[in-house]
Amino acid sequence: MSEIPAKATESEDPSDGARTEAAGETAAGAPSGTTGGAGMPAREDLSASHAGSRDTGLGEDAPAGDAIWQSSPPGSMYDYIKVASFSIGPDGLVDQWSLRAEQLFGIPAGRAVGMDPIEAFVDPDLREQGQRKMAEILDGREWTGVVPFRTPGTAEDGGGQEALAEVYVMPTRTEDGEKAAVCIVVDVRTLRRIETDLAASQSIFGQSPFGFLLIDPDLRIRRANQQFASTFGGTPDDHRGRGVHDYLRSPEAERVSATLRRVLETGDSITDMHVTGFVPGSDDRRHWSINLYRVHSGSGRPIGIAWLGTDITSRRAAAREAAAARRNLALLNEAGARIGNSLDLETTARELLDVVVPGFCDLATVDLYQGLLAGDETPPGLADGSAELRRVAFASAVSDAPFVGGGAPVAVGAVHHYPFNSPCADALRTARPRLVPAEEGGLVQSTLAVPMVAHDTVVGLAQFARTKGSEPFGDRDRDLAVELAARAAVCIDNARLYRREHERALILQRSLLPPGDPVASGLDIACRYLPGASSADRPSEVGGDWFDVIELPGHRTALVVGDVMGRGLRAAVAMGELRSAVRTLALLDLEPAEVLSALDEIARGLGAPGGVQQATRAARRPREADLSEVYLATCVYAVYDSVTRRCTFANAGHLPPVLVEPGEDALMLDVPPGMPLGVGGEPFEEVEVELPEGALLALYTDGLVESRDHPLDEGLQAFVGALTDPTLPLEDVCDHVLNTLDTHHGEDDIALLMARVQGLPTDSVGDWTLPREPRSVGRAREYARGQLLSWDLEPLVDTTELLVSELVTNALRYGEGEIRLRLLLDRTLVCEVWDSGLVQPRRRRARDTDEGGRGLQLVGLLSAAWGSRRTPRGKTVWFELPLPDGETGLTDPAEALLSLF
């Protein structure tokens, strides 16, 4: 039986001293493997040496004599179990106290040596029994058991704590041969805690629903749990010694191995590292979330890596589905915000492609039925999908070339049709999306042909394609494509309907404007009309601007420019009614102020169901009761007399005319603006202006001088400044004005009417005053004959003499005051007879037995036109004859007289 001396050399490492003692005993020839009796305490001191032998790679069954004793870092079970030793001298007092005893009991060696262990650590109630045990031990008996003890001192200085210790007491002898004892003490609390920890660790490791691995420093599996084995097959023991490359393919295995090395070297843990691989017996790709952390021994030495993994394949799939749903929702929101901002067909189609490329597909096209674009409601072939289509938009994220396959590429703007048996034609026929097969060797791998359906009508076809390398279209993508195409189809159909209505309104408006270049006596006229242009943020509607040039009797001309407030077909129709009313009132030869007053009544009647009379009654009722729709318009009406070069203006809330006299700057005429038409209740004033020869007169609407970027005053000044050279041809002046001003804003229609004054020469006017006597009839014939002969109009002499005789005779018989005869020569010959009577001549049909009453009938037969008008001092009766040009034949007076009977 080996004995350990009571005196031992102290060491800073509790295990170093044990190794020194063990080495000494081995050198003395004591068997290193002796067990039992006094050799038992050697287990504590020799445990480190056994650990060292394990570090050298020797097996547990190696002979003791072959062991290589060497010092190694702590790493055995004694790093976890609190084991301490102390010795008791022959007097029963502590004579040696180890460093581990200091750690276990919390008492330094200087204080512990010389203490009675029974008195110091045993509860007073158990001290008597403890003393008997101590006597037996000192008598040479071994003893082991569990002893409750209390650390010395008070709670304030860390003492007085109760604990349990498993004690193994071995008798020994001192150098003098006296009996002593060596005590090995193990903290029972630590043992219980280790036991609990081992049970918890085993439970966690074995019952974990996650794959759990312990990987050694060589990156080999040392332990695997059942969950991991159930995933990759076999039992947990089958996976011992395997590495990462046995489960993952390159380069994923290299990435994971590098991560394991980094964790082992740095100690930094890894959380939620995603790993992709396959499991045995399946070709489906699996995804795992891996957590890694380094594992240490009780002394803090790294001994491996813990691997905790969970399968997230389903979660990844759900996340992809959720991401796809969010992406589709965002795409629909973007489509709602970007598609349909313009009422232009091509722009709307391009907006659809801007949304889907590249967010939804790589290539896309939009084809619309050519018949619908042309305005047809149901173009031929619409039902069977064979009608012609026009490609209006194309977009690509990978190439500028159109789709490859299915025939020759179709360029944007080209008209084409799909074969009857093609998937695209089938999609158009059935109004359902179709998958177009990919062409071998082509760029595209998946194409969706989606009909564009609006209000149960197919308006076109949208194609969405994804190139090779992209994910093929699925059911969710198909539904999204149908929704996108439907939204765009509604916007395109609205744009189509708007274009149709706009074109109809524009045709209506243009039909109401003067055709070609107007011609007037004594005026050189040029005009421009520009309809408002549409923009991306504001679609244009036809406006109510109009102008007119009306020839009046006596080589006079009425110039009209007006603007109905509002836009669209309603404004165009109102403009047409007002223009027709103006022409009718002008032919009555009313004064300008009277024309505007009558036009104001008509404008008020436009919004009333009963017309003008209903509007008049409504005007007498309180304002709250007037629920009729209001039509407002501005208008300037001017009458120009080419003989006197005087022009009379009346204004109903319109912009003032601009006059440019030769050698002078342009100026705005001071014409009282009055109230707009349709307001009523206010009279209109007239202003008469004498226009010099060669002067330039400009009438216009507010679209020429006003926009959101340019206020009205600024526009008027710019317009006046643009009229710098009135001697240029009028067409050039109009072009200069439109090019100088900002007329491309497209916010309103523009009407511009310009006239250069060219009065009748004095030698083209014959004017005579006749006394009120019968012989004035003959004198009038002489004046007329002489004037016509001086104008080389001999073919008109007989007819003119006859008609002048009739009008002068009527003036003598039915008129009052002196008689005035005037002949005017311009593009036609006009004869006027003036008198002071207010009674207008009335044409009647004479019976065969009547001797008179055929004078005005004769005038109507022989003249091109005749009539009468009121004047400030009476009336004027006139007739007009065309000039002989060799083509127009003149009516023979004799035949005209015979035709009356």
Side-chain angles (χ1 to χ4, degrees):
M1 182 179 294
S2 62
E3 296 179 355
I4 300 178
K7 301 295 183 180
T9 305
E10 292 185 1
S11 172
E12 294 183 0
D13 189 338
S15 62
D16 287 344
R19 280 192 286 267
T20 304
E21 293 174 353
E25 289 182 350
T26 304
S32 60
T34 304
T35 60
M40 289 298 295
R43 293 183 59 187
E44 176 189 3
D45 300 325
L46 298 180
S47 62
S49 298
H50 282 292
S53 68
R54 287 193 298 271
D55 289 342
T56 62
L58 296 175
E60 296 178 356
D61 299 331
D66 296 336
I68 300 175
W69 300 92
Q70 61 182 9
S71 176
S72 64
S76 68
M77 62 178 294
Y78 296 105
D79 294 333
Y80 303 95
I81 302 175
K82 292 184 178 181
V83 179
S85 64
F86 62 91
S87 62
I88 300 176
D91 54 359
L93 303 179
V94 175
D95 62 352
Q96 282 200 356
W97 191 258
S98 68
L99 294 178
R100 294 212 177 195
E102 291 185 4
Q103 298 173 1
L104 177 62
F105 295 102
I107 301 174
R111 178 182 169 189
V113 174
M115 293 178 56
D116 183 350
I118 302 300
E119 297 293 334
F121 300 109
V122 179
D123 188 86
D125 296 338
L126 301 175
R127 285 177 184 175
E128 182 179 353
Q129 183 181 356
Q131 292 294 345
R132 289 196 303 268
K133 292 294 182 181
M134 179 62 68
E136 294 176 359
I137 291 171
L138 293 178
D139 194 28
R141 295 182 59 183
E142 292 186 1
W143 181 83
T144 181
V146 177
V147 178
F149 69 93
R150 180 188 301 272
T151 58
T154 61
E156 287 75 9
D157 57 6
Q161 297 181 359
E162 294 183 355
L164 288 176
E166 184 174 347
V167 182
Y168 182 25
V169 181
M170 297 173 290
T172 185
R173 292 181 181 276
T174 64
E175 295 177 355
D176 299 334
E178 294 179 306
K179 293 182 180 180
V182 174
C183 299
I184 305 298
V185 183
V186 179
D187 189 354
V188 175
R189 294 174 304 175
T190 303
L191 291 176
R192 299 293 183 268
R193 185 171 61 251
I194 291 175
E195 182 182 16
T196 303
D197 292 345
L198 287 175
S201 176
Q202 180 63 29
S203 175
I204 293 173
F205 194 87
Q207 301 176 18
S208 172
F210 309 117
F212 214 145
L213 298 178
L214 292 180
I215 301 175
D216 64 15
D218 296 330
L219 305 187
R220 294 290 176 178
I221 296 177
R222 285 304 175 194
R223 188 176 180 185
N225 70 343
Q226 183 60 41
Q227 181 64 31
F228 182 86
S230 63
T231 301
F232 288 94
T235 64
D237 292 338
D238 294 337
H239 297 277
R240 293 180 184 271
R242 293 183 181 180
V244 175
H245 288 79
D246 296 323
Y247 302 96
L248 301 177
R249 301 175 182 178
S250 298
E252 187 75 345
E254 284 78 4
R255 182 177 72 89
V256 174
S257 297
T259 304
L260 291 173
R261 294 190 189 94
R262 185 171 68 252
V263 172
L264 191 62
E265 294 171 359
T266 64
D268 297 333
S269 60
I270 299 296
T271 303
D272 197 22
M273 179 180 71
H274 288 191
V275 176
T276 303
F278 301 87
V279 298
S282 175
D283 294 331
D284 296 335
R285 188 183 300 272
R286 305 290 290 273
H287 302 273
W288 294 277
S289 173
I290 305 300
N291 297 319
L292 302 173
Y293 58 92
R294 191 169 68 181
V295 180
H296 303 83
S297 67
S299 62
R301 179 172 64 91
I303 60 174
I305 303 170
W307 169 301
L308 184 64
T310 180
D311 193 330
I312 60 171
T313 303
S314 300
R315 191 173 71 188
R316 284 283 297 270
R320 285 196 302 269
E321 289 292 324
R326 288 193 298 269
R327 183 175 63 252
N328 293 348
L329 182 59
L331 200 63
L332 288 176
N333 290 337
E334 183 182 5
R338 297 180 59 181
I339 298 176
N341 293 326
S342 170
L343 287 176
D344 180 76
L345 295 173
E346 290 79 4
T347 302
T348 303
R350 286 193 297 269
E351 289 172 346
L352 169 63
L353 301 193
D354 291 340
V355 171
V356 300
V357 177
F360 177 69
C361 60
D362 300 317
L363 300 97
T365 63
V366 173
D367 298 324
L368 299 180
Y369 277 118
Q370 177 67 11
L372 294 178
L373 294 174
D376 298 338
E377 292 295 335
T378 54
L382 182 61
D384 59 7
S386 62
E388 290 185 334
L389 300 105
R390 179 158 61 91
R391 180 148 296 175
V392 296
F394 167 78
S396 172
V398 294
S399 172
D400 291 334
F403 282 94
V404 178
V410 180
V412 175
V415 178
H416 67 102
H417 71 277
Y418 292 105
F420 181 81
N421 294 326
S422 64
C424 294
D426 185 59
L428 291 171
R429 279 194 304 273
T430 61
R432 294 181 179 179
R434 290 292 182 266
L435 187 64
V436 181
E439 185 184 39
E440 290 294 334
L443 177 67
V444 176
Q445 75 154 350
S446 181
T447 301
L448 273 178
V450 183
M452 305 182 71
V453 183
H455 308 115
D456 297 330
T457 301
V458 179
V459 300
L461 182 73
Q463 294 187 70
F464 309 105
R466 290 178 179 175
T467 58
K468 293 182 178 178
S470 301
E471 184 178 355
F473 289 111
D475 293 339
R476 188 187 298 273
D477 297 324
R478 183 190 298 251
D479 296 339
L480 177 61
V482 171
E483 178 65 23
L484 291 172
R487 292 193 180 193
V490 171
C491 296
I492 287 176
D493 192 56
N494 291 339
R496 178 186 65 83
L497 295 176
Y498 167 77
R499 174 182 288 186
R500 185 188 65 184
E501 297 301 323
H502 179 74
E503 290 175 351
R504 291 178 179 178
L506 193 59
I507 291 173
L508 172 64
Q509 187 182 39
R510 289 189 180 278
S511 67
L512 298 176
L513 296 175
D517 295 330
V519 179
S521 177
L523 292 174
D524 181 16
I525 294 178
C527 54
R528 293 287 187 276
Y529 173 75
L530 300 178
S534 61
S535 60
D537 58 343
R538 186 194 61 81
S540 174
E541 295 182 288
V542 67
D545 295 16
W546 92 93
F547 66 91
D548 208 346
V549 178
I550 308 171
E551 292 189 76
L552 300 179
H555 291 311
R556 294 174 303 127
T557 304
L559 304 176
V560 187
V561 170
D563 183 5
V564 176
M565 298 182 185
R567 303 187 65 81
L569 192 59
R570 169 181 173 274
V573 171
M575 178 271 289
E577 295 189 18
L578 291 179
R579 178 177 180 269
S580 299
V582 169
R583 296 189 69 87
T584 302
L585 294 172
L587 293 178
L588 295 178
D589 215 345
L590 301 177
E591 296 297 325
E594 295 177 346
V595 171
L596 292 186
S597 296
L599 202 62
D600 178 62
E601 293 288 339
I602 294 174
R604 284 191 292 162
L606 293 179
V612 177
Q613 294 182 354
Q614 182 68 24
T616 304
R617 297 190 188 101
R620 300 190 183 100
R621 295 197 301 265
R623 179 67 63 181
E624 296 78 5
D626 186 10
L627 302 178
S628 60
E629 188 175 10
V630 177
Y631 283 78
L632 298 179
T634 62
C635 179
V636 59
Y637 184 87
V639 176
Y640 168 72
D641 190 340
S642 61
V643 178
T644 61
R645 297 198 311 276
R646 300 187 71 83
C647 187
T648 304
F649 296 92
N651 191 353
H654 202 77
L655 297 174
V658 176
L659 178 64
V660 186
E661 298 183 1
E664 301 290 340
D665 294 334
L667 56 90
M668 289 182 287
L669 296 178
D670 186 12
V671 179
M675 300 297 291
L677 301 177
V679 176
E682 293 293 333
F684 298 97
E685 300 183 31
E686 294 181 356
V687 173
E688 189 176 62
V689 179
E690 183 175 355
L691 305 178
E693 186 73 19
L696 184 64
L697 180 65
L699 305 178
Y700 51 94
T701 58
D702 57 354
L704 180 68
V705 295
E706 185 179 20
S707 68
R708 284 180 292 183
D709 299 328
H710 301 281
L712 179 60
D713 293 341
E714 181 181 334
L716 288 174
Q717 294 300 324
F719 177 48
V720 171
L723 299 174
T724 55
D725 190 359
T727 61
L728 293 175
L730 279 185
E731 297 293 335
D732 295 342
V733 175
C734 289
D735 293 338
H736 174 71
V737 168
L738 296 179
N739 293 331
T740 302
L741 301 181
D742 181 20
T743 59
H744 302 289
H745 51 76
E747 297 175 13
D748 198 1
D749 296 356
I750 295 175
L752 175 62
L753 178 63
M754 306 193 76
R756 178 175 284 119
V757 176
Q758 296 175 348
L760 284 178
T762 55
D763 56 358
S764 296
V765 178
D767 196 346
W768 303 273
T769 301
L770 301 174
R772 191 172 186 80
E773 55 186 26
R775 60 181 181 179
S776 294
V777 177
R779 193 175 300 166
R781 289 196 297 267
E782 293 176 359
Y783 290 151
R785 171 181 289 273
Q787 188 67 60
L788 293 180
L789 292 177
S790 65
W791 288 339
D792 295 329
L793 296 177
E794 185 175 358
L796 299 180
V797 171
D798 294 341
T799 303
T800 304
E801 283 185 325
L802 178 60
L803 299 183
V804 166
S805 176
E806 288 292 336
L807 295 185
V808 172
T809 300
N810 283 342
L812 288 173
R813 180 175 298 180
Y814 305 108
E816 298 177 2
E818 60 180 5
I819 301 171
R820 180 184 177 189
L821 173 65
R822 190 169 71 168
L823 295 178
L824 306 176
L825 177 63
D826 192 42
R827 293 178 292 109
T828 60
L829 175 66
V830 175
C831 176
E832 299 177 339
V833 176
W834 305 50
D835 69 80
S836 301
L838 299 178
V839 179
Q840 297 290 325
R842 183 171 59 89
R843 181 179 177 179
R844 66 184 182 89
R845 181 174 294 277
R847 292 175 295 181
D848 295 341
T849 58
D850 291 342
E851 296 183 358
R854 296 179 176 85
L856 293 181
Q857 289 184 354
L858 185 62
V859 173
L861 287 173
L862 295 179
S863 64
W866 78 277
S868 66
R869 68 176 186 272
R870 291 180 300 172
T871 63
R873 297 179 181 178
K875 67 177 181 297
T876 300
V877 183
W878 57 272
F879 67 86
E880 183 176 344
L881 294 175
L883 298 181
D885 53 6
E887 297 180 359
T888 303
L890 299 176
T891 304
D892 185 23
E895 294 182 358
L897 288 173
L898 292 176
S899 67
L900 296 177
F901 298 94

